[in-house]
Amino acid sequence: MSINRLICKLEQFAPLSNEQRKKLGGLVRRVADFGPGEEIIRQGDRPDDVHLVLEGWAARYKILPEGERHIMAYLIPGDMCDVLVRLLPQMDHSIGALSRCKVGFIPSKEIFSLIEEDRTLARALLWADLVGEAILREWLVTRVRRAEKRLAHLFCEMLLRSKAVGLTDDDGFELPLTQEELGDTMGLSTVHINRTMQELRGKNLIASKGKRMIINDLDGLKKLADFDGAYLHQLADQGSRNAAAAARGRSD
Amino acid sequence: MSINRLICKLEQFAPLSNEQRKKLGGLVRRVADFGPGEEIIRQGDRPDDVHLVLEGWAARYKILPEGERHIMAYLIPGDMCDVLVRLLPQMDHSIGALSRCKVGFIPSKEIFSLIEEDRTLARALLWADLVGEAILREWLVTRVRRAEKRLAHLFCEMLLRSKAVGLTDDDGFELPLTQEELGDTMGLSTVHINRTMQELRGKNLIASKGKRMIINDLDGLKKLADFDGAYLHQLADQGSRNAAAAARGRSD
DNA sequence: CGTTGGTTTGATTAATGTCAACGCACGTGG
DNA sequence: CCACGTGCGTTGACATTAATCAAACCAACG
């Protein structure tokens, strides 16, 4: 069951009991599929539900007045869209599917009562939110650096995030993005993304086969990017907890 | 009393009772002064206290490996540093004073018990946090645009944020930043900041006298910047509530 | 096959960085 | 009261990064 990606992630923060895992599973009232490009939440909406990505990739983005899309965050399996959305009068951005993906809907009220009655789960959910915010800060900061470093940094991050929810094998993971989407994310043109990726491939740091990204030399990539995973907080710690949770994921 | 800046801000979210105001006031256990450049929280710390800016400006920033400082957020009076810091194992960035400023210290435990016992205050505090996150997203997005638009956007934002805590008169407000600090914020060189500000002055959109910023033509500035205050959520709504709260601030 | 979406290449231009120098205001010590 | 130092703002010349435009290429798919 794909709820395990979330459980897997939250257990990087604190171990959960079986009841707690069940509670999390019980939150999802409805599941829907979205095709690439389909909007899940639109800017200006005031959603009553919190969304949980179960499979595939989605993104937060804004459309600028001149029409370009700017991606501000990737949402991968186990990521919740906005635990506390209900506190804001309206969405200041949209969320849309990048690849085909499966999304769970959780009534906001459920989340709030869960938060009030289970302190550990509350903290785990808020922690995941804080990690999201930390990632945002890191993205802001990397913006000053040159395209090559920025891209390298992004690939390091997405490898670790994928690993944290059991979505890697060796050093490969799904990166279901076009170069245009990468451009919209980094604020660079497609052409520049293309040339920059060629540099990274040329240095034998990465290799990509279709939508599959292979990190040939993680240490080299980290060094090039000045990557320090501290901003991912416990998410980056690849302990045994993680392996255990991933195993549980497979067995369900 | 400078706690009123916080109250003033929170009341943009929901009206507060006198008890609630008192509760907020009671949170601050200790007040300290910091001079420009002094660190309030250092990267790697695990602070036990939540910090509340009472007077002056502070900033979140990271120091990059090559030594440059990158500012990710400004903290002005009424801003709390990190309501939920305690959930993270350590700070992934530092917070430091930009101008001389006065900072209140609030024990994390106090915050957590307040959050558990007063739902309205809890939501107001979390709302303020979410607005901070929305600002961060907006900063990320503006990064794609040209320097002139970016700067214009920043000035619009800081005018509104200052106004929301009663720190403006007409269209002027304190902007206690050097051009170098602006550069560290926008990821631009001092030289470029300088020339860009000259453009804005040349178009008669702004005027700056020392550390005082005057917005001559807010509409023009907004238009140039494609500024849409929606991302500030209720913070941008200049209603009567706001005026009332500011008045209360003066009378104490 | 032909179409389509995505990637790659080349040529040119625009935005911004870097370096180096100068100026101006303010404060401090003689 | 002056002389100097220091921090900040300003200017010019030149280098670099990335955008833009236009076209070719490639692979998947009906």
Side-chain angles (χ1 to χ4, degrees):
Chain A
M1 249 290 287
S2 26
I3 187 75
N4 281 307
R5 306 252 101 105
L6 173 63
I7 293 172
C8 179
K9 188 168 82 160
L10 295 184
E11 291 204 317
Q12 325 261 320
F13 175 75
L16 302 179
S17 68
N18 276 323
E19 280 103 309
Q20 287 172 319
R21 293 199 195 105
K22 241 169 261 156
K23 268 193 211 164
L24 284 173
L27 288 174
V28 176
R29 291 302 154 81
R30 185 162 75 81
V31 173
D33 277 305
F34 293 87
E38 277 179 34
E39 276 188 325
I40 299 171
I41 309 179
R42 199 184 319 268
Q43 191 162 347
D45 282 359
R46 198 202 168 152
D48 281 327
D49 294 312
V50 171
H51 302 256
L52 168 64
V53 179
L54 297 169
E55 286 171 25
W57 282 36
R60 296 179 192 280
Y61 58 87
K62 293 195 186 189
I63 303 294
L64 305 189
E66 305 82 36
E68 328 91 307
R69 166 180 65 173
H70 193 130
I71 294 177
M72 301 172 298
Y74 294 132
L75 299 167
I76 68 172
D79 286 337
M80 279 207 172
C81 287
D82 291 280
V83 177
L84 302 171
V85 234
R86 279 300 293 279
L87 296 182
L88 293 180
Q90 55 165 22
M91 288 292 288
D92 56 34
H93 61 278
S94 303
I95 296 179
L98 293 172
S99 63
R100 171 154 299 286
C101 64
K102 188 174 285 188
V103 175
F105 290 67
I106 302 171
S108 270
K109 293 175 210 290
E110 292 295 319
I111 292 271
F112 279 111
S113 32
L114 181 70
I115 285 183
E116 274 163 20
E117 76 191 27
D118 186 323
R119 183 182 295 190
T120 304
L121 280 180
R123 293 186 176 193
L125 290 173
L126 293 172
W127 163 79
D129 236 31
L130 289 180
V131 172
E133 202 176 329
I135 290 172
L136 198 55
R137 282 193 295 265
E138 189 72 14
W139 280 29
L140 181 67
V141 167
T142 26
R143 273 303 172 78
V144 275
R145 293 187 262 178
R146 293 233 315 284
E148 198 188 21
K149 286 192 170 208
R150 262 195 268 173
L151 251 188
H153 196 281
L154 180 69
F155 294 149
C156 290
E157 179 188 306
M158 295 319 297
L159 175 67
L160 294 190
R161 285 176 60 190
S162 298
K163 196 177 279 189
V165 289
L167 282 171
T168 52
D169 44 34
D170 302 315
D171 289 328
F173 64 102
E174 289 304 314
L175 187 89
L177 303 174
T178 65
Q179 294 185 349
E180 188 185 357
E181 285 161 340
L182 280 171
D184 288 350
T185 306
M186 320 273 297
L188 295 169
S189 65
T190 323
V191 174
H192 204 59
I193 294 284
N194 186 288
R195 291 182 172 134
T196 307
M197 289 194 59
Q198 289 181 47
E199 286 183 69
L200 293 178
R201 280 195 290 255
K203 292 178 179 169
N204 235 310
L205 296 169
I206 65 168
S208 43
K209 287 182 192 150
K211 295 302 176 206
R212 183 150 208 86
M213 166 69 58
I214 292 133
I215 308 295
N216 285 331
D217 175 5
L218 181 56
D219 286 338
L221 204 62
K222 280 184 171 176
K223 204 168 152 210
L224 171 64
D226 295 318
F227 184 89
D228 171 358
Y231 73 98
L232 293 171
H233 299 279
Q234 292 106 315
L235 238 200
D237 302 343
Q238 291 308 318
S240 47
R241 262 196 302 208
N242 189 32
R248 198 165 40 247
R250 274 193 296 278
S251 65
D252 284 81
Chain B
M1 247 291 286
S2 26
I3 186 77
N4 280 309
R5 306 253 103 104
L6 173 63
I7 293 172
C8 180
K9 188 167 83 160
L10 295 183
E11 291 206 316
Q12 325 260 323
F13 175 76
L16 302 179
S17 69
N18 276 323
E19 280 104 308
Q20 287 172 320
R21 293 198 195 105
K22 240 170 262 159
K23 268 193 212 165
L24 284 173
L27 288 174
V28 176
R29 292 302 155 79
R30 185 163 75 81
V31 172
D33 278 306
F34 293 87
E38 277 178 35
E39 276 188 324
I40 299 171
I41 309 179
R42 198 184 320 268
Q43 190 162 347
D45 281 359
R46 196 199 169 153
D48 281 328
D49 294 312
V50 171
H51 302 255
L52 168 63
V53 179
L54 298 168
E55 287 171 24
W57 281 37
R60 295 179 193 280
Y61 59 87
K62 293 195 186 192
I63 303 293
L64 305 189
E66 306 81 37
E68 329 90 307
R69 167 180 63 173
H70 194 131
I71 295 177
M72 300 171 298
Y74 294 132
L75 299 167
I76 67 173
D79 285 338
M80 281 207 170
C81 287
D82 293 280
V83 177
L84 302 171
V85 232
R86 278 302 293 279
L87 295 181
L88 293 180
Q90 56 166 22
M91 289 291 289
D92 56 34
H93 62 278
S94 303
I95 295 178
L98 294 171
S99 63
R100 172 154 299 285
C101 64
K102 188 175 285 189
V103 176
F105 289 68
I106 301 171
S108 270
K109 294 175 210 289
E110 293 294 320
I111 293 270
F112 279 111
S113 30
L114 181 70
I115 285 182
E116 276 165 19
E117 77 192 26
D118 186 324
R119 182 181 297 190
T120 305
L121 279 180
R123 293 185 177 193
L125 290 173
L126 292 173
W127 164 78
D129 235 31
L130 289 181
V131 172
E133 201 176 330
I135 291 173
L136 197 55
R137 282 193 295 265
E138 189 72 14
W139 281 28
L140 180 67
V141 168
T142 21
R143 274 303 173 79
V144 276
R145 293 188 260 179
R146 295 220 270 93
E148 198 189 21
K149 286 193 170 207
R150 262 194 267 172
L151 251 188
H153 195 281
L154 180 69
F155 295 149
C156 291
E157 178 188 306
M158 294 320 297
L159 174 66
L160 294 190
R161 284 176 59 188
S162 298
K163 196 176 275 188
V165 290
L167 281 171
T168 52
D169 43 33
D170 302 316
D171 288 328
F173 63 102
E174 289 304 313
L175 187 88
L177 303 173
T178 64
Q179 293 185 348
E180 189 186 355
E181 285 162 339
L182 280 172
D184 288 350
T185 306
M186 320 273 297
L188 295 170
S189 65
T190 324
V191 174
H192 205 59
I193 293 284
N194 186 288
R195 290 182 171 135
T196 308
M197 289 193 61
Q198 289 180 46
E199 286 183 69
L200 293 178
R201 279 195 291 256
K203 293 178 179 168
N204 235 309
L205 297 169
I206 65 168
S208 42
K209 287 182 192 150
K211 295 302 177 206
R212 182 151 209 85
M213 168 67 62
I214 292 134
I215 307 296
N216 286 330
D217 176 4
L218 181 56
D219 286 339
L221 203 63
K222 281 184 173 177
K223 204 168 153 210
L224 172 64
D226 295 318
F227 185 88
D228 171 0
Y231 73 97
L232 293 172
H233 299 279
Q234 292 106 317
L235 238 200
D237 303 344
Q238 292 308 317
S240 47
R241 262 196 302 207
N242 188 33
R248 197 165 42 245
R250 274 194 295 278
S251 65
D252 285 83

